């Protein structure tokens, strides 16, 4: 029986399950569409929708900076890639600003031939088409490579010269005290076996 057990174990231990969910959520926000088994997609869907709702909280104009930072840190617990977190807060959350829930959908596919498991697609409802996503990724890569080239071409800043060290004044030799005699340490005799 599975009474009062809300966690879907997915035949994995906690650490493995959390890593799987985090990676799938990250891929969902990166590509806006992932394919996996129905059981995994249902679990990932609930986590992803909560994360999008968390990102939407930062769209309010009167939000305190501490609360906005807290929201980003809570999302960073699940999504480890900072670029994807910025995409989530600046792009995906804005797309769903007027929507209350229902950010994702699961589409069913034909069962997998090898093991006959139910397979599906999890995607964002307001997702961009593949060509525009690829173009955005290429533009970001080019911007990063251009900034690296500019840094490499720029002359290195001149190093500051170190101040000369002051010479230490010669120390007066103190009169040597006679060394105290060392005490002899007695070793315990080995115990006899009975």
């Amino acid at each position: 029986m599975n009474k009062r057990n809300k966690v879907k174990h997915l035949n994995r231990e906690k650490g493995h399950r959390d890593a799987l969910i985090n990676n799938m959520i990250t891929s969902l926000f990166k590509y806006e569409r992932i394919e996996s088994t129905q059981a995994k997609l249902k679990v990932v869907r609930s986590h992803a929708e909560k994360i999008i709702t968390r990102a939407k909280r930062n769209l309010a104009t009167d939000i305190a900076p501490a609360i906005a930072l807290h929201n980003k840190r809570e999302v960073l617990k699940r999504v480890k890639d900072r670029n994807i977190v910025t995409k989530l807060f600046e792009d995906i959350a804005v797309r769903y600003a007027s929507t209350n829930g229902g950010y994702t959908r699961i589409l069913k596919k034909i069962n997998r031939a090898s093991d006959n498991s139910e397979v599906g697609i999890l995607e964002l409802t307001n997702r961009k088409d593949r060509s525009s996503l690829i173009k955005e990724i290429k533009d970001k890569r080019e911007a990063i490579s251009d900034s690296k080239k500019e840094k490499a071409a720029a002359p290195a800043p001149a190093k500051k010269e170190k101040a000369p060290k002051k010479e230490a004044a010669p120390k007066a030799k103190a009169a040597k005290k006679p060394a105290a005699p060392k005490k002899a340490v007695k070793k315990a005799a080995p115990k006899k076996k009975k």
Side-chain angles (χ1 to χ4, degrees), residues 35-187:
E35 182 178 327
S36 185
T37 59
Q38 291 282 341
K40 290 178 193 171
L41 294 180
K42 287 177 183 176
V43 173
V44 170
R45 179 184 195 177
S46 64
H47 289 283
E49 298 226 351
K50 289 174 186 172
I51 289 174
I52 293 172
T53 304
R54 171 78 71 170
K56 280 175 52 177
R57 291 183 193 169
N58 279 10
L59 296 178
T61 55
D62 59 340
I63 190 169
I67 294 172
L69 179 63
H70 174 70
N71 289 335
K72 280 201 175 183
R73 286 182 174 163
E74 287 295 314
V75 170
L76 276 167
K77 287 181 183 178
R78 284 287 185 188
V79 181
K80 304 298 183 191
D81 191 348
R82 290 182 180 270
N83 295 331
I84 294 172
V85 171
T86 55
K87 176 185 176 181
L88 174 68
F89 278 87
E90 294 173 2
D91 182 27
I92 296 174
V94 174
R95 279 189 248 165
Y96 294 109
S98 61
T99 309
N100 292 328
Y103 313 120
T104 59
R105 65 175 154 243
I106 296 176
L107 305 173
K108 291 187 178 182
K109 291 182 70 177
I110 299 171
N111 289 4
R112 196 160 46 199
S114 60
D115 58 355
N116 200 35
S117 60
E118 296 176 347
V119 182
I121 296 172
L122 176 66
E123 64 182 11
L124 299 177
T125 53
N126 282 345
R127 70 185 187 94
K128 294 181 180 176
D129 61 330
R130 184 173 169 78
S131 60
S132 64
L133 280 174
I134 291 172
K135 185 180 178 191
E136 283 181 9
I137 291 170
K138 285 182 180 178
D139 292 342
K140 285 181 184 178
R141 282 185 190 156
E142 289 174 3
I144 291 170
S145 65
D146 291 343
S147 64
K148 285 182 180 179
K149 287 178 184 176
E150 289 175 6
K151 283 185 180 179
K159 293 183 179 179
K160 294 181 181 178
E161 293 183 22
K162 295 182 180 178
K165 293 183 179 179
K166 294 181 182 177
E167 293 184 21
K171 296 180 180 178
K173 293 185 178 180
K176 289 188 175 180
K177 295 181 182 177
K182 294 183 178 180
K183 295 182 181 179
V185 178
K186 293 183 181 179
K187 292 185 177 179

